[in-house]
């Protein structure tokens, strides 16, 4: 008795061709985990406002008004980002993580030095080793 596995080189080549997309997907999935785990959680306005898109068209902004301190939901934030990742168009040339919460620029820049885990997007850039961080401050 014997056992044999037979395949074609064509099958192997098709697997290799799919490999870059899988690697990109895995890196972005790791980035989702990083953002969710590193983001400060207060009212949830910041952590639940992260979005991921091809080309930057998607925005998500949660209003902190009326939300109690400590009500941020990491599980919800991760589910939203994973849904964004599942919808991502890998034929596009760019990906964009964004946060349009009212105080995103404060978390990133930490001007008063009070944020326990500031510079989230800069940390993510350093973690994955690619990209450019841009911060729009509504106050100029």
């Amino acid at each position: 008795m014997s056992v044999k596995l037979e395949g074609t080189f064509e099958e192997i080549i098709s697997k290799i061709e799919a490999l870059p997309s899988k690697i990109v997907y895995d890196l972005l999935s790791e980035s989702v985990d990083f953002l969710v785990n590193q983001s400060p959680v207060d009212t949830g306005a910041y952590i639940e406002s992260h979005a991921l898109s091809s080309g930057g068209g998607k925005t998500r902004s949660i209003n902190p008004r009326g939300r109690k301190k400590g009500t941020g939901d990491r599980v919800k934030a991760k589910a939203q980002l994973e849904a964004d990742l599942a919808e991502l168009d890998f034929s596009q040339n760019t990906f964009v993580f964004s946060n349009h919460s009212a105080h995103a620029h404060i978390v990133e820049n930490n001007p008063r030095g009070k944020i326990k885990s500031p510079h989230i997007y800069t940390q993510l850039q350093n973690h994955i080793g690619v990209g450019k961080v841009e911060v729009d401050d509504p106050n100029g």
Side-chain angles (χ1 to χ4, degrees), residues 25 28-29 32 50-60 78-92 94-96:
Y25 181 91
L28 293 175
S29 180
V32 164
H50 292 300
L52 171 61
S53 63
S54 304
K58 182 175 230 151
T59 61
R60 183 177 290 122
K78 184 172 182 175
Q80 290 174 162
L81 283 168
E82 286 175 339
D84 292 349
L85 180 56
E87 296 172 0
L88 209 59
D89 181 359
F90 285 92
S91 69
Q92 296 292 318
T94 60
F95 67 91
V96 177

Side-chain angles (χ1 to χ4, degrees), residues 33-105:
D33 289 342
F34 184 90
L35 273 179
V36 170
N37 292 332
Q38 297 301 317
S39 290
V41 176
D42 189 2
T43 61
Y46 179 78
I47 193 169
E48 294 173 26
S49 293
H50 292 300
L52 171 61
S53 63
S54 304
K58 182 175 230 151
T59 61
R60 183 177 290 122
S61 180
I62 307 299
N63 189 336
R65 291 193 178 186
R67 296 184 102 182
K68 294 181 180 174
K69 193 172 182 85
T71 59
D73 189 342
R74 288 189 194 278
V75 173
K76 179 180 179 183
K78 184 172 182 175
Q80 290 174 162
L81 283 168
E82 286 175 339
D84 292 349
L85 180 56
E87 296 172 0
L88 209 59
D89 181 359
F90 285 92
S91 69
Q92 296 292 318
N93 216 15
T94 60
F95 67 91
V96 177
F97 281 101
S98 62
N99 191 306
H100 290 275
S101 68
H103 57 286
H105 68 285

Side-chain angles (χ1 to χ4, degrees), residues 18-31 85 88 90 92 95:
L19 195 56
S21 293
K22 170 138 177 45
I23 291 169
V24 170
Y25 181 91
D26 289 349
L27 182 63
L28 293 175
S29 180
E30 180 182 323
S31 299
L85 180 56
L88 209 59
F90 285 92
Q92 296 292 318
F95 67 91

